Amino acid sequence: MRIVVTGKSGQVTSALQALDAGGIEVIAIGRPELDLLQPSTVREIIAKIKPNVVVSSAAYTAVDKAESDEASAFAINRDGARALAAAAAELSLPIIHLSTDYVFDGDKAESYVESDAVGPVSVYGRSKLEGEYAVAAANENHFIMRTAWVYSTFGHNFVKTMLRLAETREELSVVSDQLGCPTSANDIAEAIVKIADRLASDSSPDLRGVFHLAGNGETSWAGFARYVMSVLEEKTGRRVTVKDIATADYPTAAKRPANSRLCCDKLKGLYGVSMPEWRMSARDAVTKLLEEPKEAV
Ligand SMILES: NC(=O)C1=CN([C@@H]2O[C@H](COP(=O)(O)OP(=O)(O)OC[C@H]3O[C@@H](n4cnc5c(N)ncnc54)[C@H](OP(=O)(O)O)[C@@H]3O)[C@@H](O)[C@H]2O)C=CC1
Ligand SMILES: Cc1cn([C@H]2C[C@H](O)[C@@H](COP(=O)(O)OP(=O)(O)O[C@H]3O[C@@H](C)C(=O)[C@@H](O)[C@H]3O)O2)c(=O)[nH]c1=O
Ligand SMILES: [Mg+2]
């Protein structure tokens, strides 16, 4: 089976390319040959590759920068996603489109299910929600995968930021009033392959729609950072503490949901796919990062 995935240098796309998935060919495309700001080029590129499934991972993911760059965020996350979904539809292909927990307002007490009302509190979250609507309207053969708090040994992510700060600080101050589910890009890649296989071989409408996929369990950003530091200390003896702070003590351009935990029961029920406990996967990523040459972190 051949999967084409956008966002060549991104975390999820890099994890997909690194997968040794027998019988699955992963073709990653990205700038300059695929620029979602030039949507007219999308169809020709996808038609040439002749995939069985299209994975839409490329996005404008700079949450804070998006607040002052709304046009770019919507051009990529809504219009670019729409062009990709339309190209897949013209070629009668299913599309797996990555979306985010930041489509929720964060006011719910428990974890969010797919049918919960959305209410993004940031430009990034709004642009990704509009992308969901655009993809669903352009291609009914869609699997919209909302994930969260993605980290890996690739690209930029919270884990690498924490390890980098820990090189020069004895204490990190991290918000403890935002809850979510840390999710490994490697685990997302494994799930994408399983889901793509089902979509390519089973046309059941129940397998289409919006699904949540995130690391099993939950924590706050401070809890996430504290766990990363515990692995750092175990592996290197370096002890860096994490001080819990409130969101108000860490002002950012974008607002973030106080709670964006995702309930993934629907995916488990319909696909039999579930994700590892988040500490297990985070431990793997931190261990690998600490084994890499310093500048890689
Ligand atoms: N990171 C996270 O915490 C979360 C991410 N997601 C979603 O998952 C998906 C993957 O996220 P992640 O792997 O972290 O992404 P990254 O931020 O690691 O990479 C995003 C990629 O998008 C591509 N991209 C950006 N702008 C353009 C453009 N104008 N045209 C074409 N491609 C572009 C780039 O690929 P290239 O340089 O090859 O062009 C870039 O590497 C995204 O859709 C994101 O919204 C959802 C929840 C959490
Ligand atoms: C670096 C740092 C961040 N923080 C806070 C800021 C913020 O509230 C929280 C997360 O920080 P970041 O900006 O690294 O994470 P952020 O970019 O908000 O991550 C998001 O990325 C997008 C793409 C998604 O889709 C989301 O699921 C989510 O993963 O941690 C601290 O409290 N202390 C720190 O030293
Ligand atoms: Mg970020």
Side-chain angles (χ1 to χ4, degrees), residues 52-135:
N52 302 97
V53 179
V54 175
V55 176
S56 162
S57 182
Y60 186 112
T61 54
V63 177
D64 288 313
K65 189 161 164 269
E67 293 297 306
S68 54
D69 194 4
E70 184 154 346
S72 304
F74 276 83
I76 296 164
N77 293 349
R78 177 194 58 203
D79 307 338
R82 177 188 295 119
L84 200 60
E90 280 165 42
L91 297 162
S92 308
L93 296 173
I95 182 166
I96 296 175
H97 176 68
L98 274 291
S99 189
T100 173
D101 56 327
Y102 281 15
V103 299
F104 292 115
D105 62 11
D107 294 343
K108 187 179 175 188
E110 311 83 34
S111 60
Y112 283 89
V113 294
E114 289 82 354
S115 53
D116 277 328
V118 290
V121 296
S122 64
V123 167
Y124 164 73
R126 275 195 294 114
S127 70
K128 288 297 289 184
L129 178 63
E130 290 299 320
E132 290 188 12
Y133 296 151
V135 165

Side-chain angles (χ1 to χ4, degrees), residues 179-261:
L179 299 180
C181 309
T183 310
S184 152
N186 292 350
D187 296 338
I188 294 172
E190 303 263 357
I192 285 176
V193 168
K194 290 177 191 157
I195 293 160
D197 198 31
R198 283 292 297 281
L199 288 171
S201 55
D202 181 338
S203 58
S204 158
D206 290 351
L207 298 181
R208 275 82 182 153
V210 178
F211 288 79
H212 289 172
L213 177 136
N216 194 358
E218 59 182 67
T219 185
S220 68
W221 289 108
F224 191 8
R226 193 163 289 115
Y227 182 70
V228 171
M229 292 304 118
S230 72
V231 180
L232 174 69
E233 183 172 4
E234 181 196 321
K235 299 288 178 189
T236 68
R238 174 160 177 68
R239 178 171 170 67
V240 175
T241 54
V242 175
K243 182 177 162 223
D244 287 3
I245 59 173
T247 293
D249 299 328
Y250 195 86
T252 52
K255 293 221 313 286
R256 287 165 168 82
N259 165 41
S260 58
R261 287 167 293 167

Side-chain angles (χ1 to χ4, degrees), residues 29-42 45 58 75-76 80 83:
I29 51 177
R31 289 171 295 187
E33 70 275 4
L34 174 100
D35 189 337
L36 290 175
L37 292 172
Q38 319 290 337
S40 59
T41 63
V42 171
I45 294 167
I76 296 164

